[in-house]
């Protein structure tokens, strides 16, 4: 691993550093050769942080174990892909604030697949939604379509479990570091995907998931995909954040119709009304692609 990559990963581990901070640092020091020599006044100007936060950042910047975290991760078979690496997916480079680094465990070649379908929906699916997922996923897998989702409770994890059991290609994008798999009930699924597919995060492995991480995670799910399939979901939900981000990114949006009396179907039905392609069989997706 080259020194630049190691320095970028170290910066990414420093508390108080966000996407914009790294952008500012890279603009003034593209090689990152100066980060260990900068005076405190520079960091005060760049970080705009109160003194306590600045002190935390400087402690992390001078932390030798964080500086050598890359070796620890390599020993754990965690791949670190920066935005300049050839393995970095082109689709991610086209979005607002593309991740500087992807921390991945599993088969990174899946990032290069063209036909990736995001399958998303409510955390509280009906028996109808579950039945649709269990029927459609094996068929999608048989057409060599890779399934990406967020490992969340409900539609996401049901789709991913079905993809794994169908020996399909599957990617999970998580909202925290790889050392803090969430939710607890899907840890076994995450481990299985690491063995048979790919689990990734833009957050360093030592970072615990936070509530605000999940909307950020959703932009990666939509960016990696060629299209988004909405199975069930209310109008105002995390599902719709992903759809809106997908629309901004120019993705195909597909939706499973449902009963007009079911709250879980109001989201997909509204999407269909507004122009999403209605899906009643997987041929509706295959023909579109």
């Amino acid at each position: 691993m080259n020194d630049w990559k190691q320095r970028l990963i170290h910066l990414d581990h420093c508390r108080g550093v966000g996407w914009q901070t790294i952008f500012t640092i890279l603009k003034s020091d593209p090689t990152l050769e100066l980060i260990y020599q900068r005076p405190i006044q520079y960091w005060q100007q760049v970080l705009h942080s109160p003194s306590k936060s600045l002190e935390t950042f400087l402690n992390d910047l001078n932390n030798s174990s964080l500086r050598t975290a890359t070796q620890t991760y390599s020993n754990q078979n965690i791949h670190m892909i920066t935005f300049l690496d050839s393995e970095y997916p082109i689709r991610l480079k086209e979005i607002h604030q593309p991740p500087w680094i992807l921390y991945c465990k599993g088969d990174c070649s899946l990032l290069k697949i063209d036909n990736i379908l995001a399958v998303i929906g409510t955390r509280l699916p009906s028996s109808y939604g579950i039945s649709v997922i269990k029927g459609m996923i094996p068929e999608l897998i048989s057409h060599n379509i890779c399934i990406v989702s967020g490992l969340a409770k409900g539609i996401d994890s049901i789709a991913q479990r079905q993809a794994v059991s169908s020996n399909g290609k599957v990617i999970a994008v998580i909202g925290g570091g790889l050392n803090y798999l969430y939710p607890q009930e899907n840890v076994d699924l995450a481990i299985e995907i690491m063995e048979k597919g790919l689990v990734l995060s833009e957050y360093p492995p030592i970072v615990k998931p936070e509530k605000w991480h999940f909307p950020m995670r959703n932009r990666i799910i939509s960016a990696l995909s060629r299209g988004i399939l909405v199975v069930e979901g209310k109008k105002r939900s995390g599902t719709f954040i992903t759809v809106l981000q997908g629309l901004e990114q120019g993705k195909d949006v597909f939706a499973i119709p449902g009963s007009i009396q079911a709250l879980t179907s109001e989201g997909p039905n509204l999407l269909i009304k507004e122009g999403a392609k209605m899906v009643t069989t997987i041929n509706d997706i295959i023909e579109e692609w």
Side-chain angles (χ1 to χ4, degrees), residues 92-187:
L92 270 188
K93 291 186 177 182
E94 297 167 348
I95 68 172
H96 177 63
Q97 294 192 350
W100 297 115
I101 304 161
L102 296 175
Y103 299 90
C104 310
K105 197 158 187 180
D107 183 1
C108 294
S109 71
L110 297 183
L111 294 171
K112 295 295 187 181
I113 291 176
D114 186 42
N115 287 341
I116 299 177
L117 180 70
V119 181
I120 60 173
T122 179
R123 285 171 169 75
L124 299 169
S126 67
S127 57
Y128 164 73
I130 294 170
S131 174
V132 167
I133 284 289
K134 290 187 173 180
M136 283 192 174
I137 294 295
E139 289 188 70
L140 290 165
I141 295 300
S142 72
H143 283 81
N144 208 29
I145 290 174
C146 177
I147 305 300
V148 62
S149 202
L151 205 73
K153 177 183 175 184
I155 292 295
D156 290 36
S157 55
I158 293 167
Q160 290 173 307
R161 282 189 193 279
Q162 194 64 49
V164 169
S165 65
S166 302
N167 295 316
K169 298 179 177 70
V170 58
I171 299 171
V173 185
I174 60 176
L178 290 166
N179 292 350
Y180 292 96
L181 299 172
Y182 177 88
Q184 189 65 36
E185 65 199 70
N186 289 335
V187 168

Side-chain angles (χ1 to χ4, degrees), residues 5 11 17 24-25 27 30 41 69 81 83 124-125 127-128 157 163 168 175 186 188-189 203 218 222-223 230 257 281:
K5 185 170 181 175
L11 263 184
V17 169
T24 303
I25 295 167
K27 272 202 304 184
Q41 292 82 359
I81 302 173
F83 69 103
L124 299 169
S127 57
Y128 164 73
S157 55
N186 289 335
D188 63 326
L189 173 61
Y203 302 105
N218 292 347
S222 57
V230 181
T281 75

Side-chain angles (χ1 to χ4, degrees), residues 1-234:
M1 182 177 298
N2 64 47
D3 291 342
W4 175 85
K5 185 170 181 175
Q6 194 156 333
R7 289 191 289 267
L8 179 66
I9 291 168
H10 184 189
L11 263 184
D12 198 37
H13 280 66
C14 294
R15 287 167 292 178
V17 169
W19 192 95
Q20 192 61 47
T21 308
I22 292 179
F23 179 70
T24 303
I25 295 167
L26 283 168
K27 272 202 304 184
S28 63
D29 178 20
T31 63
L32 298 178
E33 288 179 355
L34 301 176
I35 62 169
Y36 301 118
Q37 303 162 25
R38 297 284 196 185
I40 191 169
Q41 292 82 359
Y42 170 82
W43 295 115
Q44 285 171 331
Q45 186 179 0
V46 168
L47 295 172
H48 305 294
S49 299
S51 55
K52 191 163 185 180
S53 298
L54 180 63
E55 185 181 339
T56 300
F57 163 77
L58 291 172
N59 284 339
D60 288 347
L61 189 65
N62 293 305
N63 186 323
S64 58
S65 63
L66 288 181
R67 198 166 175 174
T68 57
T70 51
Q71 186 56 54
T72 304
Y73 297 154
S74 295
N75 293 340
Q76 297 170 347
N77 294 319
I78 293 173
H79 307 279
M80 293 146 281
I81 302 173
T82 76
F83 69 103
L84 291 183
D85 290 329
S86 60
E87 306 99 311
Y88 193 93
I90 292 173
R91 284 174 176 159
L92 270 188
K93 291 186 177 182
E94 297 167 348
I95 68 172
H96 177 63
Q97 294 192 350
W100 297 115
I101 304 161
L102 296 175
Y103 299 90
C104 310
K105 197 158 187 180
D107 183 1
C108 294
S109 71
L110 297 183
L111 294 171
K112 295 295 187 181
I113 291 176
D114 186 42
N115 287 341
I116 299 177
L117 180 70
V119 181
I120 60 173
T122 179
R123 285 171 169 75
L124 299 169
S126 67
S127 57
Y128 164 73
I130 294 170
S131 174
V132 167
I133 284 289
K134 290 187 173 180
M136 283 192 174
I137 294 295
E139 289 188 70
L140 290 165
I141 295 300
S142 72
H143 283 81
N144 208 29
I145 290 174
C146 177
I147 305 300
V148 62
S149 202
L151 205 73
K153 177 183 175 184
I155 292 295
D156 290 36
S157 55
I158 293 167
Q160 290 173 307
R161 282 189 193 279
Q162 194 64 49
V164 169
S165 65
S166 302
N167 295 316
K169 298 179 177 70
V170 58
I171 299 171
V173 185
I174 60 176
L178 290 166
N179 292 350
Y180 292 96
L181 299 172
Y182 177 88
Q184 189 65 36
E185 65 199 70
N186 289 335
V187 168
D188 63 326
L189 173 61
I191 292 169
E192 194 169 7
I193 294 174
M194 288 174 182
E195 294 168 354
K196 300 177 180 177
L198 178 67
V199 178
L200 67 89
S201 176
E202 68 178 314
Y203 302 105
I206 61 172
V207 173
K208 293 181 180 180
E210 301 281 354
K211 200 169 185 179
W212 60 271
H213 288 174
F214 295 95
M216 297 298 288
R217 171 206 62 183
N218 292 347
R219 86 191 192 289
I220 298 177
I221 293 172
S222 57
L224 288 175
S225 69
R226 182 175 173 181
I228 300 167
L229 175 63
V230 181
V231 180
E232 289 186 312
K234 295 180 182 179

